[in-house]
Amino acid sequence: MHRPSDEPSDEETPSGVRPHPAIDLPGPWAGGVAGYPGPDPAADFDGSRDLDPSRTDPAVLAALLARHGWRRRGGSPGRYARWTPPGPGAGGTSLLVPESRAFPDCEDLLTEALTALARSAAPSAREVLVGLAVPSDEIRWWRDVPPGPSGAAAWTVQEQLRSAARQLLLAGALAARGRAGYYGARHRRQAQASLEGVLVGSAPGGRELTAFLPVATGRAVAVRLHDALYAAREAADYQRATGGMEAFDAAVRAGVSRELTEAVVALVRGTEGARIGLAWAPGAGVPQGCAARPEPVEFSPGDLPALREAGRRYLRVEPSVPVRLTGAVIRMRRTGPHGDGSVRLRVLAGADVPQVRVALDEESYRIAGHAHLLGLPIRVVGRLESRGGFRRLTDATSVVPVQVDEAERDRLMKSLQENLDFFEEACGGGD
């Protein structure tokens, strides 16, 4: 079991994905990414169970080891291979990984390999364990920044990397909901919710960050980011070569948006360049239309003017959206006891935003106030304006109360009783 040889490294070998329970991952895997707007995309990793060797696919383990730089040193052809960690300082760590489950000692070898990985100090060992525990597509960010005195990046630099990574994941999740040059507040809650199962861990030095998107829930986000990043790279090249922005207009179909260009700008700003790489989960198959081993997409400070201009362009040209929405009145305001006023609605249906502000004429304002006092939402027709992030409804007409079930009405009435200052605002008080 310890015979060395000079066998060359194997390519990744896809195999069927098997479910794996979670494992305890200390260090950077113990918690999430702080400061995420809404649900944290780095859900805490469940350390209550260990990986079960009887349910571990040795082909997937070998593929993950090869992906993360482990070197195949030899073994018994057709039976098992010996793997050693990348880089200097690996010590005496080595793994014997069976080629398949066809041999009687397969489970024993897998038990020893998983134990050695769990005890290894190599960051790549933790990444391999994550890939085993939760079959995931991997997104990796690199930033070229000057090292600090100890070789590690400054705390503020690390926070910039984490913030940019969060923005990029959110942009991909928004694009997975639908194509738009600018989303604003639209789809944001659903996009944030779709990132709840993502695991994120940083490498030593603070210049790298890896996100693991579970195949079951995150494959659509990974595919959309793959398409959008390549489209943004091509559009930036076209703009730098010709001065035209037409390629950015076409790139919207691939998932490029203001949110994505802002995320790339945040990633590159203050660096000599940045890269984003993506690797598909071993055994899950390659998504249709995607490269099996995508090359990392690189951006440099020279791309920033084109990306910023594209973001401004997306904001400027995104059209308003005609909607017929239903919402509960949560705030009312007008300057006096009579005349036009504005209301804020918590959107219940008809638009993918949490709240909107609506300007109403005197009669519609009166209807909205009565509906609120009765614990009823209202239905209104208008245009959701892109200016302000799709949080304002203009040209509002056809304001009518909407009947709801008793449970929803009781909840709305309770909300009214808990916000007594509503009466002052409805009758002319300040906002």
Side-chain angles (χ1 to χ4, degrees), residues 332-334 341-342 360-369 426:
M332 302 186 71
R333 182 180 184 276
R334 60 182 175 183
S342 65
L360 299 174
D361 59 30
E362 183 173 7
E363 178 62 19
S364 296
Y365 187 87
R366 182 185 62 82
I367 294 172

Side-chain angles (χ1 to χ4, degrees), residues 329 331-343 362 365-366 368-370 372-373 416 419-431:
V329 178
R331 200 172 188 86
M332 302 186 71
R333 182 180 184 276
R334 60 182 175 183
T335 57
H338 302 287
D340 300 346
S342 65
V343 300
E362 183 173 7
Y365 187 87
R366 182 185 62 82
H370 287 173
H372 184 84
L373 292 172
L416 169 63
N419 293 275
L420 298 179
D421 60 340
F422 164 82
F423 293 104
E424 178 184 353
E425 296 172 3
C427 296
D431 193 3

Side-chain angles (χ1 to χ4, degrees), residues 376-416:
L376 298 174
I378 62 172
R379 182 178 296 124
V380 58
V381 175
R383 300 191 67 84
L384 203 59
E385 289 290 335
S386 60
R387 290 177 297 174
F390 293 96
R391 296 180 179 89
R392 182 173 60 184
L393 194 72
T394 60
D395 302 329
T397 60
S398 307
V399 177
V400 293
V402 177
Q403 292 294 330
V404 294
D405 59 43
E406 287 300 321
E408 176 67 12
R409 183 172 178 176
D410 289 345
R411 195 187 63 76
L412 291 171
M413 289 297 293
K414 182 179 179 181
S415 175
L416 169 63

